[in-house]
Amino acid sequence: MKSIEYKGSQSVEVGEKAVPEVGPGEVLIKVAYAGVCGSDMIIYQGVHPRAKAPLVMGHEFSGTIVKGHSTLPAGTPVTVYPLLSCGTCDPCKNGYAHVCNTLKLIGIDCDGGMADYVKVPEDKVLPIPESLSLKLGAFIEPVAVGVHAVGRSGYKPGDSAVVYGAGPIGLCVASCLAYFGAAKVMVVEANPHRLDVARQLGFTPIDAVKDDIRAKVAEHTRGRNADLAFDCAAHPSVHSTILDILRVQGTSVVVGSYKKPPEVDLLKVEFKELTLIGTRVYTRRDFEVAIAILQSGRIDFDRLLTVAMADDAPAQFQNLLQGSTDAIKMLFQLGQ
Ligand SMILES: [Zn+2]
Ligand SMILES: [Zn+2]
C-alpha cells in the first residue's frame, strides 16, 4: 500500500508498505482522506515531544471498513476517534479520559491515517452518515475541537464572541458558535486570504494588522464588548488585546498551543472579573455533535478543504511549512 511517512526533520516520503495485519479487537480501514494538522507540522519540523520517525502521521481521517468490526459491515463509511487514553489514571477514572495523564494519539504515537490502509482499535471507530461525503468526514475531528472549545467556554445563546486566528481551528470554533446561535462572531486574522474566507463564511472580519481591534469589537457590540474570546492563534500579539475586548466577567478560552509562555496582564483578569479557561482536544460526544453540524449543511466547510494527491505530500509539507499555499486544511487523497 502507499504510505506518507515521516522520516526525520523536514523529511516526508511516499513509499510502499505492507498492509497492516489486524489482530483481535482491531479494525482495518481503507483510508479515503487524511488531513494535515498543526501537530503534524510540529512532527514534520522534528520538534514534537513524542512522535518518533519512521511514522505514518494522520489523526484526522475518513475511510471505509475493510474487516474486523464486530457489528459494522465492510464498506461502512467511518472516521476514527484518535485518542488513546490509559484508562487507569485519575483523570481517566473520573470522566476526563481526553486529558489522560499519558494521552496518546493514533497518528502521533503509532501509525495513523496517511496511508491507503490503517488499523485501529474497534472502539475508536465511529460510523458516519452516508449523506456526509468522505471528504467532509475527514474534517469531523477539527470541528470536534470547535465543539469542545465552545462547550468549555460556558457559551449562552445570543452571546457575542471574538475568535483570534482564521486557521482551521479558529474557523471551526467560529462555525460552531454560529451554528449554536451566537449573536455576533468576529474573527481577528492578519492573513488577507484567511480573513476573506472568514468573511465568506459569514463572520465579521477584523484585520489584525490594519484595524484597531478594540475599537472594532466595541463598534460591533454597541460598546458592550464581547462575552467570549477564543485564542486559536496562540501568537504573542493576541494578549495585547484579548482581555480588553471582553466585557466585565467575560471569558477568554485558550485553544491554540503556545510555543513559549505569553505575557498575560492578570491585573485585567482581576479588575474585570474575567475567567480564563483551557480546552484540549474533544470527547466522543463532541465527535457526534461535530458529525451533526457537518451533516446539517448549514456551514460551507468544503470551502476550507484543499485536496492534494498523496504523491505530492513531500512538496505539500514544504509548502505548508513555508506558508506558500492558500490551503486552510490540506487533505491527502488515499486508498486509490
Ligand atoms: Zn488535529
Ligand atoms: Zn489516563
Side-chain angles (χ1 to χ4, degrees):
M1 67 169 185
K2 190 175 281 185
S3 73
I4 300 168
E5 215 169 14
Y6 163 64
K7 295 286 193 185
S9 182
Q10 293 200 33
S11 168
V12 155
E13 286 176 17
V14 180
E16 281 297 317
K17 221 176 148 76
V19 174
E21 286 193 25
V22 291
E26 289 179 330
V27 175
L28 187 67
I29 294 170
K30 185 180 186 195
V31 179
Y33 296 95
V36 182
C37 178
S39 57
D40 296 322
M41 294 311 296
I42 290 169
I43 295 173
Y44 179 63
Q45 291 170 81
V47 292
H48 194 281
R50 303 195 312 272
K52 298 273 174 293
L55 174 74
V56 177
M57 294 178 281
H59 58 268
E60 32 190 90
F61 56 92
S62 62
T64 49
I65 288 184
V66 178
K67 62 178 178 184
H69 203 286
S70 57
T71 55
L72 298 174
T76 304
V78 293
T79 188
V80 167
Y81 182 72
L83 304 190
L84 302 168
S85 307
C86 77
T88 58
C89 71
D90 194 66
C92 276
K93 285 194 290 193
N94 287 290
Y96 310 113
H98 66 293
V99 277
C100 168
N101 285 342
T102 55
L103 185 68
K104 293 181 172 59
L105 266 85
I106 293 167
I108 293 179
D109 299 277
C110 60
D111 282 351
M114 287 191 196
D116 287 337
Y117 296 90
V118 61
K119 69 170 180 180
V120 301
E122 176 172 335
D123 66 341
K124 305 296 172 191
V125 176
L126 281 159
I128 58 179
E130 295 275 357
S131 61
L132 194 63
S133 70
L134 285 170
K135 193 174 147 192
L136 284 173
F139 201 58
I140 292 167
E141 192 259 14
V143 175
V145 173
V147 172
H148 193 68
V150 176
R152 290 277 303 145
S153 72
Y155 165 80
K156 289 191 281 306
D159 276 354
S160 61
V162 179
V163 177
Y164 285 75
I169 295 302
L171 292 173
C172 281
V173 168
S175 298
C176 290
L177 286 161
Y179 182 86
F180 296 141
K184 191 79 157 173
V185 182
M186 294 154 271
V187 175
V188 179
E189 169 63 51
N191 176 303
H193 169 69
R194 290 188 166 197
L195 198 60
D196 201 45
V197 173
R199 183 185 297 112
Q200 288 166 21
L201 287 175
F203 309 125
T204 303
I206 297 178
D207 191 319
V209 180
K210 294 179 190 149
D211 287 334
D212 178 338
I213 298 171
R214 292 179 192 84
K216 283 282 172 193
V217 174
E219 180 190 322
H220 292 304
T221 57
R222 298 200 191 108
R224 188 173 176 266
N225 277 336
D227 300 290
L228 305 168
F230 294 82
D231 180 2
C232 306
H235 187 271
S237 65
V238 169
H239 283 277
S240 63
T241 57
I242 196 165
L243 302 179
D244 295 332
I245 54 87
L246 285 169
R247 66 165 167 84
V248 163
Q249 290 200 350
T251 297
S252 175
V253 185
V254 183
V255 188
S257 307
Y258 274 88
K259 293 184 185 77
K260 283 186 197 147
E263 215 165 89
V264 181
D265 188 350
L266 294 175
L267 187 67
K268 288 176 184 165
V269 177
E270 182 200 351
F271 270 35
K272 288 170 78 177
E273 294 198 333
L274 301 176
T275 301
L276 282 178
I277 285 181
T279 176
R280 196 171 164 198
V281 287
Y282 30 64
T283 64
R284 285 184 83 101
R285 176 70 189 140
D286 296 322
F287 258 57
E288 290 163 13
V289 175
I291 289 170
I293 293 174
L294 280 152
Q295 206 189 359
S296 78
R298 275 171 47 193
I299 292 144
D300 185 12
F301 288 108
D302 262 312
R303 204 182 273 274
L304 309 183
L305 310 181
T306 300
V307 175
M309 299 313 292
D311 287 330
D312 292 335
Q316 295 294 5
F317 269 93
Q318 263 307 310
N319 290 340
L320 288 165
L321 187 66
Q322 310 295 338
S324 56
T325 165
D326 270 348
I328 288 180
K329 173 60 75 180
M330 177 83 69
L331 302 177
F332 291 120
Q333 193 169 3
L334 290 140
Q336 296 297 294

